């Protein structure tokens, strides 16, 4: 594979899939995923496998941003390069955990949706908005609750792994917040690209979101998009330099289900 | 001996360009390389080369040029790196970088060190000695990757071509 092209689904132009080991089966819809309702051994393995492959996608995205925008400010390129290293370590540590659990690469279907959306955008501000500031910030909310859930299920090892990863993700969101502001201060037209990226993400999400009542391959009932908003990880969003107004807006959208700070995030 | 400040700065600025080119090449390869283990190795090495470029760029500021002053290498070497970046296939990519480009680059850094005034140019040597350690580690990690993925190594023609390029340092200022 030399270049990765684009594909059109209805009227939406997305980026075609990045390269994956042949053992992986890439799917598009949540209904094709093997996500379990319970925290059984296989359910927890699927979670770890899914997060591992999501980190591969994050690595691909950061690397592509670094290569595709050679004229970006050097300090921003350093952040992207550092993110490449962070994401590669996340893949390694989750793969290690997966094998400890008796799992293997390709055991479950995977998605590369974040790549398909983010790398369809032709500007770095838009990509930082979509991937780092929205999707990875959302992952902070998910993982913020997930590591507690794992611990409650008696899986301290997976919980520790996820908590370590979460600390790195704060910086990925934070540098995006800082650089979007900095780029917009230099050129206010950047805000148009940010707005355009936000609209694009919302439009794609709506098009591909599963409908309430649908079930996945293993029979798990899939909730609607609105019902699946995780509890907001207020502490880490604050560390990632979301301001109070932004956090309040996210809490408002989530129905004010905020994550209570019962543990430090250090 | 790399006697004067201009000579040293040209070399450092050229090494910076090379570090960035290799960083960008590996970054461009990452999404189009299927093997997870190769992507993981590339991820760390991308950061290595970014740090090399950063340190070299801070050094150019100490040698009477702007921070992050960068010089395109001599034409033949520049073309060689551009051709490397177009290589397809994981085994071929790993061979090109880790059997040809990086061993050659290591030698060039070592040559610079030997030719330098160890006291006057010590700030450059401290940076380069760290880069050399990183490159040696990278070669070891690439060898481990090849064993893990059971992919063939060695790109003798490519390595020979790299060695045939006498000078990579730009004469432009």
């Amino acid at each position: 594979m030399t270049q990765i092209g684009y594909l059109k689904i209805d009227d939406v132009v997305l980026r075609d899939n990045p390269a994956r080991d042949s053992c992986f089966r890439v799917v598009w819809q949540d209904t094709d995923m093997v996500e379990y309702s319970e925290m059984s051994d296989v359910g927890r393995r699927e979670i770890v496998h899914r997060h591992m492959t999501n980190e591969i996608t994050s690595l691909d995205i950061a690397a592509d941003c670094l290569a595709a925008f050679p004229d970006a400010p050097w300090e921003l390129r350093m952040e992207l390069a550092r993110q490449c290293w962070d994401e590669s370590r996340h893949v390694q540590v989750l793969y290690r955990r997966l094998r400890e659990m008796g799992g293997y690469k390709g055991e479950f279907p995977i998605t590369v949706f974040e790549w398909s959306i983010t790398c369809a955008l032709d500007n770095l501000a838009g990509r930082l908005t979509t991937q780092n500031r929205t999707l990875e910030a959302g992952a902070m909310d998910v993982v913020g609750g997930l590591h507690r859930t794992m611990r409650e299920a008696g899986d301290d090892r997976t919980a520790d792994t996820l908590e370590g990863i979460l600390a790195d993700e704060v910086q990925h969101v934070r540098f995006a917040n800082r650089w979007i502001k900095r780029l917009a201060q230099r050129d206010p037209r950047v805000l148009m690209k940010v707005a355009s990226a936000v609209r694009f993400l919302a439009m794609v999400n709506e098009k591909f979101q599963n409908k309430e009542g649908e079930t996945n391959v293993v029979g798990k009932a899939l909730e609607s998009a609105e019902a699946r908003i995780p509890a907001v990880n207020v502490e880490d969003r604050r560390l990632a330099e979301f301001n109070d107004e932004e956090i309040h807006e996210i809490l408002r959208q989530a129905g004010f289900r905020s994550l209570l700070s019962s543990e430090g995030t250090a | 001996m790399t006697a004067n400040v201009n000579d040293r700065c040209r070399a450092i600025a050229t090494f910076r360009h090379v570090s960035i080119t290799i960083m960008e090449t590996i970054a461009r390869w990452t999404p189009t390389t299927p093997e997870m283990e190769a992507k993981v190795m590339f991820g760390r090495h991308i950061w290595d080369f970014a740090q090399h470029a950063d340190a070299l760029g801070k050094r150019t500021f100490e040698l009477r040029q702007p921070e992050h002053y960068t010089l395109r290498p001599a034409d033949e070497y520049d073309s060689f790196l551009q051709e490397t970046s177009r290589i397809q296939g994981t085994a071929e990519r790993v061979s090109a970088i880790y059997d040809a480009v990086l061993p050659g680059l290591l030698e060039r850094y070592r040559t610079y060190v030997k030719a330098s005034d160890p006291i006057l140019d010590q700030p450059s040597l401290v940076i380069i000695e760290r880069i050399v350690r990183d490159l040696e580690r990278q070669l070891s990690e690439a060898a481990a990757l090849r064993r893990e993925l059971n992919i063939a190594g060695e790109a003798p023609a490519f390595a020979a071509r790299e060695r045939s390029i006498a000078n990579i340092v730009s004469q432009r200022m």
Side-chain angles (χ1 to χ4, degrees), chain A:
Chain A
M1 185 187 269
T2 47
Q3 304 269 13
I4 300 174
Y6 296 80
L7 64 149
K8 201 168 179 184
I9 300 178
D10 297 337
D11 54 344
V12 180
V13 176
L14 297 172
R15 198 71 183 275
D16 207 347
N17 292 349
R20 287 289 176 271
D21 284 297
S22 57
C23 62
F24 288 121
R25 186 166 74 92
V26 180
V27 301
W28 277 87
Q29 305 280 357
D30 286 347
T31 48
D32 295 323
M33 290 290 281
V34 175
E35 185 180 344
Y36 294 85
S37 307
E38 73 285 354
M39 296 293 269
S40 58
D41 287 352
V42 66
R44 286 182 296 106
R45 245 181 15 249
E46 192 279 331
I47 289 171
V48 171
H49 184 277
R50 177 158 30 97
H51 279 273
M52 178 188 78
T53 57
N54 286 348
E55 299 289 358
I56 300 173
T57 302
S58 297
L59 167 56
D60 282 337
I61 293 170
D64 194 69
C65 287
L66 187 57
F69 302 101
D71 296 330
W74 175 247
E75 292 78 13
L76 174 51
R77 301 191 86 198
M78 286 287 285
E79 296 280 12
L80 290 166
R82 173 56 192 265
Q83 184 174 4
C84 288
W85 183 34
D86 291 346
E87 305 296 7
S88 75
R89 293 196 325 279
H90 297 170
V91 173
Q92 279 183 290
V93 77
L94 286 163
Y95 188 39
R96 182 181 68 192
R97 182 63 193 133
L98 179 68
R99 284 175 294 170
E100 286 170 356
M101 298 165 93
Y104 56 92
K105 242 187 345 172
E107 185 176 356
F108 305 99
I110 66 169
T111 66
V112 293
F113 208 49
E114 294 182 359
W115 163 277
S116 305
I117 299 171
T118 300
C119 293
L121 297 165
D122 66 358
N123 64 89
L124 188 51
R127 289 193 184 190
L128 291 175
T129 299
T130 304
Q131 175 62 13
N132 295 55
R133 202 183 177 279
T134 307
L135 295 170
E136 293 207 29
M140 284 199 318
D141 296 335
V142 168
V143 176
L146 184 58
H147 77 81
R148 293 163 202 254
T149 305
M150 285 289 179
R151 217 174 286 285
E152 286 160 11
D155 188 350
D156 285 340
R157 183 98 168 113
T158 302
D160 289 342
T161 301
L162 292 173
E163 196 177 4
I165 289 171
L166 180 57
D168 288 344
E169 302 293 1
V170 170
Q171 174 55 17
H172 301 164
V173 180
R174 181 164 51 205
F175 87 71
N177 267 329
R178 287 182 176 177
W179 273 100
I180 290 168
K181 285 174 196 156
R182 218 173 281 178
L183 293 172
Q185 278 161 4
R186 294 181 192 182
D187 180 1
R189 287 172 298 181
V190 164
L191 294 176
M192 300 283 293
K193 294 180 178 167
V194 169
S196 179
V198 169
R199 277 198 303 274
F200 179 67
L201 176 60
M203 184 261 290
V204 176
N205 269 338
E206 190 177 335
K207 192 175 251 315
F208 290 96
Q209 208 55 258
N210 57 272
K211 308 292 183 291
E212 190 163 8
E214 286 185 305
T215 56
N216 71 9
V217 170
V218 291
K220 179 185 174 185
L222 299 175
E223 297 164 303
S224 66
E226 294 73 27
R228 284 182 6 157
I229 297 174
V232 179
N233 187 344
V234 172
E235 279 200 52
D236 283 347
R237 281 193 182 253
R238 201 163 267 134
L239 278 173
E241 298 181 7
F242 280 83
N243 63 29
D244 286 347
E245 188 183 335
E246 289 163 334
I247 292 174
H248 291 162
E249 174 60 26
I250 293 161
L251 284 169
R252 188 192 65 77
Q253 290 172 15
F256 297 106
R257 288 180 296 127
S258 63
L259 191 71
L260 294 176
S261 170
S262 56
E263 298 171 22
T265 53

Side-chain angles (χ1 to χ4, degrees), chain B residues 2-171:
Chain B
T2 316
N4 62 53
V5 172
N6 279 349
D7 287 343
R8 291 202 290 275
C9 192
R10 275 203 298 273
I12 297 294
T14 304
F15 285 137
R16 183 173 194 270
H17 196 288
V18 172
S19 297
I20 290 175
T21 300
I22 299 173
M23 177 190 78
E24 290 175 349
T25 296
I26 295 175
R28 194 175 309 113
W29 284 351
T30 299
T32 60
T33 298
E35 293 84 356
M36 183 180 83
E37 293 80 358
K39 290 178 189 281
V40 164
M41 185 185 76
F42 287 164
R44 175 154 193 196
H45 296 179
I46 286 166
W47 176 233
D48 286 337
F49 287 111
Q51 291 181 96
H52 300 169
D54 195 56
L56 292 164
K58 288 178 165 73
R59 180 64 180 141
T60 60
F61 191 51
E62 298 166 353
L63 296 172
R64 293 214 191 97
Q65 289 298 329
E67 193 172 18
H68 299 314
Y69 181 66
T70 305
L71 275 179
R72 188 173 290 278
D75 290 342
E76 195 181 357
Y77 190 74
D78 192 41
S79 298
F80 169 72
L81 290 181
Q82 296 306 321
E83 197 178 312
T84 302
S85 75
R86 291 189 287 270
I87 288 174
Q88 300 175 46
T90 304
E92 293 80 359
R93 285 172 170 177
V94 170
S95 282
I97 291 285
Y98 299 98
D99 290 334
V101 174
L102 295 194
L105 186 58
L106 260 169
E107 275 314 301
R108 297 180 195 279
Y109 276 127
R110 287 175 180 138
T111 299
Y112 179 96
V113 170
K114 282 185 202 143
S116 288
D117 186 313
I119 299 173
L120 202 52
D121 200 22
Q122 200 170 64
S124 299
L125 301 187
V126 167
I127 293 168
I128 289 172
E129 280 161 10
R130 185 208 155 176
I131 290 174
V132 164
R133 284 196 298 274
D134 282 347
L135 295 182
E136 289 169 344
R137 170 179 49 76
Q138 289 178 1
L139 295 185
S140 172
E141 287 168 353
L145 177 76
R146 278 201 275 246
R147 287 192 296 273
E148 188 172 6
L149 297 184
N150 196 27
I151 57 177
E154 312 272 342
F158 220 63
R161 176 145 163 239
E162 199 283 343
R163 286 192 299 271
S164 75
I165 302 169
N167 173 46
I168 72 165
V169 179
S170 170
Q171 299 306 307

